[in-house]
Structures are given as structure tokens and as C-alpha cells.
Amino acid sequence: MRDYDISTYGDRAAAEYDVLMGGGEAPEPAVTFLTSLVPEGDALELGVGTGRVAIPLARAGLRVAGIDSSTAMLAELAKKPGGDAVEPLHGDFLNLAGIGADRTFDLVYSLCSTLYFLCGQEDQVRCFRAVAERLRPGGYVVLELGSPPYRRMNERQYVDAFQVDADEAAFFLSLHDPLAQRVDRQQIVVDERRTRLVPISFRYIWPSELDLMAALAGLTPVTRQSGWTGGEFTGVGRHISVYRAGTA
Ligand SMILES: C[S@@+](CC[C@H](N)C(=O)[O-])C[C@H]1O[C@@H](n2cnc3c(N)ncnc32)[C@H](O)[C@@H]1O
């Protein structure tokens, strides 16, 4: 996608992000799941955004740092009640450079398919390795990710309509490269007065490929489930995948 870099999505989405997510899932089940694995210690969120889960996680007793490439997202995080309990780190989670060479964590997690924001397979492998290097012995990695768009494997372009009213319409316009597992997408809201565009470019990962990336980084699979409160992952919808660093 032309004129797109790692901060474009966050900078465009920041002001409306919580409104966009407003109808989404409440953070409590994620917090309960994460604290059941790691009740205390240091956590790092990759792509923390406005701190939707990081803030209640800090309230639950973990020391939470969040890395994000978008200063606009981090500004929204700072404004929110409890936002000052989350340590903001401005940077790229591709290699976690710049967060302090010796920093390690008991938990590294990422939500809402944020790992897919790294648009190449090599970059995703690199990120896994960087995360593994930052984990303390026995530390956990938790990833919430959507499934690949199975039904769309023959489609190079498609439209998803979300809202069609007399005065407003909301839809996604996607270009799909099934070989590279890449999607370039515009999230579009139009009304009589203006058009709002939130571009997003991502690379989806097959679950088996994800396990291989984790193995290449020396991480061991712990569980994969369909929701924060459990449920078998049957291959469709989102999954929550947990990996663990070896114990020294
Ligand atoms: C879908 S939002 C998720 C926000 C939050 N984690 C949540 O669950 O609501 C993805 C976030 O990742 C950030 N991001 C995307 N690519 C990044 C990168 N390479 N390094 C750091 N942050 C990145 C974006 O700026 C955005 O805030």
C-alpha cells in the first residue's frame, strides 16, 4: 500500500478507536485469562493502542508496559483514567529495539490480530525471536489472532459492508494476495459531508505456521482456544494461542 507505514493505522484510528471498539468485547475475560497465567510480575503488550486491556491488567496487579508505533494512540492511552499505570513505549515491536537492552518480562501478549501488522513472514519470525529473547524462564506469550480468510482464497478483491443507512455507510475494501497472505484494506465510513479512511495492511498467519514460528524461537505450545473463557478452536474465527519459554 502506498503512503503507508507502521504508524499510519494507529495515527488515523486513534481518535475514534475506542468508539470503533465500543461494541466489541469487554476486556475483563482477557484480564482474567492473562492473570490466571501470570498473577504478578512484568507484562509487555505489543501494539498497546489506547490501553483497552493494558489498563485493567495494570489495575489487576501486573506491571504493564505497552509498545506502540503510533504517538496518537499513546496519547489516547495517556488521557484515559488509569492510563498512567501503563508504561508507554514508543517503538516498533518488530525487533523490540529501543525498549532497554536488558528488559525482560513474565508475559508478552498481543490482541486483536496485532501481530499481523507485521506484513512479511520474515518480520513475523523476527518478532517471535525478539519476544522469546525478552521472556524470563517460564514466561508466557499470549496471542489473540483471527483465522485466515478461508472463504476468500480465490478472491483477489472484496467488499464487506457493515452499515448501510440513509445518511451513512461503512464498509471495508480489501485487496487480497493469497500467496503472500497479505491484505491491503481501507476501512471506510462515508456520510453526506465527508469520507473517513482508516487504512490497514496486514499478513495473516496459518495456525500451523504460527506454531512453527514459535518453535523456531524456542517456544513451547501450551494451549490454543477459541475464546478467553475456553472453547475448542475448530479452525474458524479467532484463536488465543499460548506459548511458553523453557524453564532454566
Ligand atoms: C488493532 S490495534 C490494537 C490495540 C489494542 N491492543 C487493543 O487491543 O485494543 C493495533 C495497534 O498496534 C500498533 N502497531 C501496528 N504496527 C506496529 C508496530 N510495528 N510496532 C508497534 N506498534 C504497532 C498500532 O498503532 C495500533 O495501536
Side-chain angles (χ1 to χ4, degrees):
M1 189 186 289
R2 276 180 292 157
D3 304 323
Y4 181 92
D5 65 27
I6 60 169
S7 59
T8 308
Y9 169 83
D11 288 350
R12 291 276 190 98
E16 289 181 286
Y17 186 76
D18 287 341
V19 178
L20 292 171
M21 293 294 287
E25 195 180 17
E28 289 78 13
V31 171
T32 302
F33 181 82
L34 295 172
T35 53
S36 72
L37 293 175
V38 182
E40 57 186 29
D42 291 289
L44 173 68
E45 179 168 346
L46 309 180
V48 67
T50 61
R52 189 179 58 86
V53 168
I55 293 172
L57 191 63
R59 208 174 286 133
L62 274 84
R63 286 182 297 278
V64 184
I67 186 165
D68 207 287
S69 52
S70 163
T71 50
M73 279 287 193
L74 292 175
E76 293 296 321
L77 164 67
K79 272 193 238 164
K80 280 169 76 169
D84 56 354
V86 177
E87 182 190 356
L89 300 168
H90 182 226
D92 189 347
F93 61 65
L94 166 67
N95 50 19
L96 299 178
I99 70 164
D102 299 328
R103 269 190 96 165
T104 56
F105 300 90
D106 303 291
L107 168 68
V108 178
Y109 69 98
S110 188
L111 308 167
C112 297
S113 300
T114 293
L115 183 64
Y116 294 173
F117 275 79
L118 297 175
C119 286
Q121 189 183 49
E122 279 182 21
D123 284 353
Q124 290 165 342
V125 168
R126 204 167 147 201
C127 176
F128 256 105
R129 289 205 164 112
V131 166
E133 280 169 13
R134 301 295 185 147
L135 278 184
R136 293 178 186 151
Y140 287 93
V141 179
V142 178
L143 300 169
E144 181 191 27
L145 296 167
S147 293
Y150 303 108
R151 288 183 300 109
R152 298 222 132 121
M153 285 304 144
N154 286 330
E155 295 178 48
R156 298 279 170 161
Q157 48 91 6
Y158 48 89
V159 179
D160 299 292
F162 293 99
Q163 188 191 339
V164 182
D165 290 329
D167 297 322
E168 189 170 89
F171 56 99
F172 289 176
L173 203 56
S174 302
L175 290 179
H176 179 212
D177 178 345
L179 293 181
Q181 299 167 212
R182 278 282 301 267
V183 177
D184 288 339
R185 173 175 292 166
Q186 272 292 1
Q187 305 181 156
I188 303 172
V189 182
V190 283
D191 62 29
E192 297 256 306
R193 285 164 291 118
R194 64 181 184 134
T195 303
R196 279 162 285 161
L197 301 175
V198 178
I200 176 170
S201 195
F202 63 93
R203 178 183 187 273
Y204 55 85
I205 304 174
W206 294 87
S208 55
E209 184 190 15
L210 190 76
D211 290 343
L212 183 61
M213 289 180 179
L216 289 172
L219 299 170
T220 306
V222 175
T223 186
R224 170 166 290 141
Q225 56 192 54
S226 62
W228 293 111
T229 55
E232 185 189 357
F233 175 66
T234 57
V236 185
R238 61 108 181 252
H239 58 90
I240 290 142
S241 295
V242 181
Y243 302 96
R244 197 166 191 199
T247 43

